[in-house]
Structure formats: C-alpha cells, structure tokens
C-alpha cells in the first residue's frame, strides 16, 4: 500500500492528504436540514449529514489528491451510526481510487493490538467465511506500549500489504510533556523514531517502508532530525493550516527526492467555506471552496519545495 | 462514578473486575452454532455469539462482582455488528448494577480527545436532542500526547461524574521499552504517575479521584512505588491470571484501607471452562465455571490482603 500511496502522490504531484474530520458545526445548514428531515435529529441523522458532507468534498477533490485521512473519533462520537458513516466513507474513498489512512491511534498489549489490526487493516474469520471489517489502507498507531503492542499491526501489514503511521512527535502544544523528555541526553521521540526505523526495515515497499511515522508540522526542527533517523519512513505531517503549520516549515520533512512526507489538512480544507478567503463560494458551494483550498495548499507546498 | 465503584467494591468485598474480552475461540461451540443458525457465519453471527456469551457470564457472576471491563478491540474486530454487541453489553451490565469500564485506550490531540470523551462517557448534541452514544462509566486513556490530550476526558468526567484510568505502566512484556526509560534518573512511568496524581486532584470523589491509573500486575515492585506517587488514584491492575500475576503480587497496589486497587482478569474468568481446574463444568455450563473462577479469584486476593 505504501507503493500505491507513493504512486498516487507522484500522479497528482500533491503530497497532501485531506483530513475528513467532520464536526457538525462544519456541516452547512442545508446539508444538516436535509439529513434531519429524513432521519430526525438523531444519531442516524447526524451520521447521514456527515456522510453527505464527506461525499461532496470527496467528489469535488478526489482528482487532485492522493489520499484522505478520516479521524475515527469524529464518527465514534455519534456511536454506531457514526461508525457506519466512517465505514461508508472509507469504502467510497477507495472506490474513487484514494488511499485511506484511518486515523485511529490504537495501540494495546499484543493480543488486543492484534484484534485492532484485524478489524481495521486485516481480515477476520467467522466460521468458514472471511471479512475485512473496516478495511482502511493505513492506520495510525500509538507506541506507548512498546514493540509487542506494535508488532501485531506490522504482521497484518505484511500479510495484507497495508501500512502504518506510528505516533512519534505529535502536533499538539503539550506533546513535549512526555515525548520531549531527555533519555541519556536525547528526547524520547528520537528513541521512538529509531524504533520506527527498525520496525520499518522488516517490511519495505519499493522505495519506502510500510511503516511510517507521525510528526507534527508544528515542530519543524524536530522533523529535520527525525527525517534523518527514519530515512525510509513516510512521514504523515498533521498540524498544517488551522493548527499553525505553513508550507515553508515543511520542507525538512521531505527527502531530496521530493518524497517521504504527506501533509494533512483537515479543518482548513473541509471547512474552507467558513474562512474569509473562500467565503465568496457560500455555504451551498462548500465543496468548491474545499477544492480551491486544496489547490492553494498544493501550490503552497510545491512553492516551498521549489525554493528550498 | 468513582464513589459508585468504591461502594460496589465494599458491598461485594471483591476488588476485582471481569474483563469481557471475548475471542470467538473462547465461545463454546453450542453458543456459536445457535448464533450462526440465526445470522449465518457473518459479522452479525459473530456479534450475536459474543453477546449471548457475555450475557451468560454476566448473569452468572454479577452478584459477586463490582464491575466489568469490556475490551472494545475484541468487538471492533467484528466491525459495526461487533461494536453494536459492545454497546449491548455495556447497557446490559449497567442494568445489572455493574460499573462498566470501557477499555478503549483512546488518546489524541485536544479536539479529537474531546470527541472520544463525548462518544464514550459524555453526551453529544444533535439539533435539539442529546444522546449518550456508548455511555460507559469509566474509560482507559493513553497519555502519550500529554495534558492537552487528557484534559478533554477530565472535563467530561467532571460534567458527567464519570471516571478514567490512565495508562501508566502496562502489563505487557515490552512495556518497559519506552515506559521504563530514565529521565533525570527516574523512569517515564513515574513521571506519568505524577501527572495522573496532579490531574486527579482536580476532580476528587469522596475518598478517591475520578482519575485512576493502569499499572500491570506483572510489575509489582513498580506498583509499590506508583501507589505512593498517586495515593488518591484507584489503580486498575491488568495482568492477573493468564498474564502471570498472582494475588500475593498485588498487595502493594492496595492502600492500608484495603481499597485503591481493582484487579482485572479476562481469559482466566470468561474462558475458565477451558482450564483443567474447571473442566468438569463442561462447555455447556461455561457460566458456572466462570462463577467458580470468580470465587477463587476473590479468595486468592482476600487471602493475600489478609496475610500482608
């Protein structure tokens, strides 16, 4: 799947991923109204609004982008109907040829991680039948439990040709509280980065590993160091746009080949119509506003890479 | 909810929690067959088998125990139908007066953690209606992202009188890989324990905090230290039984009042009928085997606490 991701990135010339993290407050009135008219002001109604919102954004942007990253929490907060909308979104994006990164940040002891891996990127056996329950292409994984919490995900990756992004240095303000703590003079995130590099060597694609890393756009200097520690890991970079990261901060996340990083923007794309810059599209044409925001993001990053 | 947990523990005299982590391989043939006859060898069939299995175990043990801990991964691996069985299990256990600890190990940046907290222990607004999507009483939380990933869970706890168990030192063999790394001469898990203590002071119940900790039974010496660092945190102790922990290892997780810890056993209870010790019950009476295993576990821990 890492080969598919690299191929999609080369084809689109866009090392970006659209974060499908729909809050109800992002979804235009007319979309909500229609969904509530059909399903009531219920969890099912909210899930329908989310699904219709996602579908419009995907329809208006899929030809420009290599991948999407639905954040499962935003669906899980609407219970079972929300999770059904997550699954519907995953399936639809795959039909459109997009690589789907399930942002699930799971991680547990061995047998439990194995169950998560099975459910999200693997296949489960029921009697004589086999099912791929959520069937994302990549998932994000939390490393706090160490190797035996990560290995079951790697095993499933190898078997199913899927991929991982392991949390190394997250984009949030307090990520340093534990991740930056010095161990023999070096921060914990470097130690995690070294492990990612080690795990990744076990399962290499053509040019990059199935095992990638998450490093926040908000910490460009750390990205520079981590890029060297994990030369074969694709870096998923959250924190662009709404969280404060800009194209010029991102150049060091990329390798010399212009590959090796994929930058996520969620709110900045999916709620673009709410920004002054794209307000002229209006709420009715929110998908067109998202398309314009995608084009601007691609140009921003391309410009930064050219000028490095 | 911490007050309810303490009250249930005092009432039953059993500082234990039954981990409802059903693997299909634990579920007796006759239960699977019946479910598959009705729903086919499908995700729905697997979910029905899990639900019937859980219900029998709960029916046979609920009067002896204060709480259950369903591990969501074991349900998530069967997709949407599996998660519906999780929800059904949560609801049923609450009807039976049990405290439900959702073992979800979520944790993300602020706004995303807020969505998880809303979905699992909070309420979500849809139009003019409000829903409690999963409605567990406690959830487990991964601290790798630091305070701003944990605070949204605490905010919802305060509002809804729910509780948390934050991963401090996990029970698995490789937990030390990152958690034991020394920072200024002290292991990372102690630093996390200090934070748990600090977070917990913000939301105290009658005698213990809403914010508890997870510390594995497999590391009793570390439990002793952490007990002192977090005097007001209830400690959820996984790793008893199948993972290797025994009653005598657990005494230091408790405070002098005999409270402060709750010990989990999953496989050792729910798949008891598969052990030689309880084999005479037979697969048909698997619930009775679980009841006997619960009684033995209570006696083991009570004995260890008396002899300390």
């Amino acid at each position: 799947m890492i080969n598919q991701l690299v191929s999609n990135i080369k084809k689109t010339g866009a090392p970006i991923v659209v974060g499908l993290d729909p809050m109800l407050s992002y979804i235009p009135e007319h979309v909500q109204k229609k969904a509530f008219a059909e399903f009531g002001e219920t969890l099912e109604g909210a899930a329908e609004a989310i699904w219709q919102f996602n579908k419009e954004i995907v329809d208006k942007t899929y030809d420009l982008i290599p991948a999407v990253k639905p954040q499962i929490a935003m669906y899980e907060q609407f219970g079972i109907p929300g999770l059904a909308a997550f699954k519907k979104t995953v399936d639809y994006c795959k039909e459109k040829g997009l690589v789907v990164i399930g942002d699930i940040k799971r991680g547990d002891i061995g047998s439990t991680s194995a169950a998560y891996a099975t459910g999200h990127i693997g296949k489960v056996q029921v009697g004589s039948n086999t099912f791929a329950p959520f069937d994302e292409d990549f998932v994000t994984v939390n490393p706090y439990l160490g190797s035996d919490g990560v290995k079951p995900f790697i095993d499933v990756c190898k078997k199913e040709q899927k991929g991982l992004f392991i949390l190394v240095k997250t984009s949030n303000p307090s990520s340093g509280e534990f991740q930056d703590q010095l161990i023999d003079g070096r921060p914990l995130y470097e130690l995690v980065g070294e492990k990612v590099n080690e795990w990744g060597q076990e399962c290499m694609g053509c040019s990059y590993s199935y095992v990638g890393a998450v490093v926040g756009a908000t910490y460009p200097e750390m990205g520079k160091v981590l890029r060297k520690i994990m030369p074969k890991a694709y870096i998923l970079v959250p924190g662009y746009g709404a969280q404060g990261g800009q194209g010029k901060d991102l150049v060091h996340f990329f390798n010399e080949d212009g590959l090796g990083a994929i930058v996520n923007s969620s709110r900045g794309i999916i709620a673009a119509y709410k920004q002054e810059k794209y307000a002229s599209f209006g709420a009715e044409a929110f998908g067109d506003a998202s398309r314009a925001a995608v084009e601007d993001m691609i140009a921003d990053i391309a410009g930064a890479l050219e000028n490095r």
Side-chain angles (χ1 to χ4, degrees), chain A residues 94-199:
Chain A
K94 288 174 71 173
E95 271 172 39
K96 289 283 183 184
L98 295 166
V99 167
V100 177
I101 302 166
D103 197 353
I104 65 172
K105 295 191 180 66
R106 304 302 196 241
D108 208 300
I109 65 165
S111 56
T112 308
S113 276
Y116 280 128
T118 296
H120 285 278
I121 51 175
K123 295 197 181 81
V124 71
Q125 188 84 24
V126 182
S128 50
N129 297 325
T130 307
F131 301 90
F134 284 104
D135 209 18
E136 297 107 302
D137 297 315
F138 283 79
V139 289
T140 55
V141 172
N142 185 310
Y144 188 65
L145 284 89
S147 291
D148 62 27
V150 174
K151 283 280 169 69
F153 284 98
I154 295 178
D155 292 342
V156 174
C157 276
K158 283 184 192 167
K159 196 171 160 200
E160 307 287 347
Q161 315 265 302
K162 302 268 181 151
L164 305 178
F165 291 103
I166 315 245
L167 304 189
V168 173
K169 172 69 187 174
T170 56
S171 60
N172 56 315
S174 70
S175 68
E177 215 166 87
F178 304 126
Q179 298 165 26
D180 293 4
Q181 290 292 341
L182 294 181
I183 294 148
D184 293 334
R186 298 175 60 215
L188 175 62
Y189 62 78
E190 287 193 14
L191 205 77
V192 179
E194 279 169 9
K195 277 285 168 190
V196 166
N197 189 53
E198 192 185 308
W199 294 324

Side-chain angles (χ1 to χ4, degrees), chain A residues 167-242:
Chain A
L167 304 189
V168 173
K169 172 69 187 174
T170 56
S171 60
N172 56 315
S174 70
S175 68
E177 215 166 87
F178 304 126
Q179 298 165 26
D180 293 4
Q181 290 292 341
L182 294 181
I183 294 148
D184 293 334
R186 298 175 60 215
L188 175 62
Y189 62 78
E190 287 193 14
L191 205 77
V192 179
E194 279 169 9
K195 277 285 168 190
V196 166
N197 189 53
E198 192 185 308
W199 294 324
Q201 284 165 3
E202 279 184 43
C203 44
M204 280 295 297
C206 296
S207 51
Y208 284 91
S209 171
Y210 292 10
V211 181
V214 174
V215 183
T218 38
Y219 300 103
E221 286 308 311
M222 301 177 185
K224 200 168 171 175
V225 175
L226 287 164
R227 175 70 287 167
K228 289 189 186 116
I229 292 176
M230 318 174 290
K232 293 296 179 192
Y234 238 83
I235 302 181
L236 171 64
V237 189
Y240 177 89

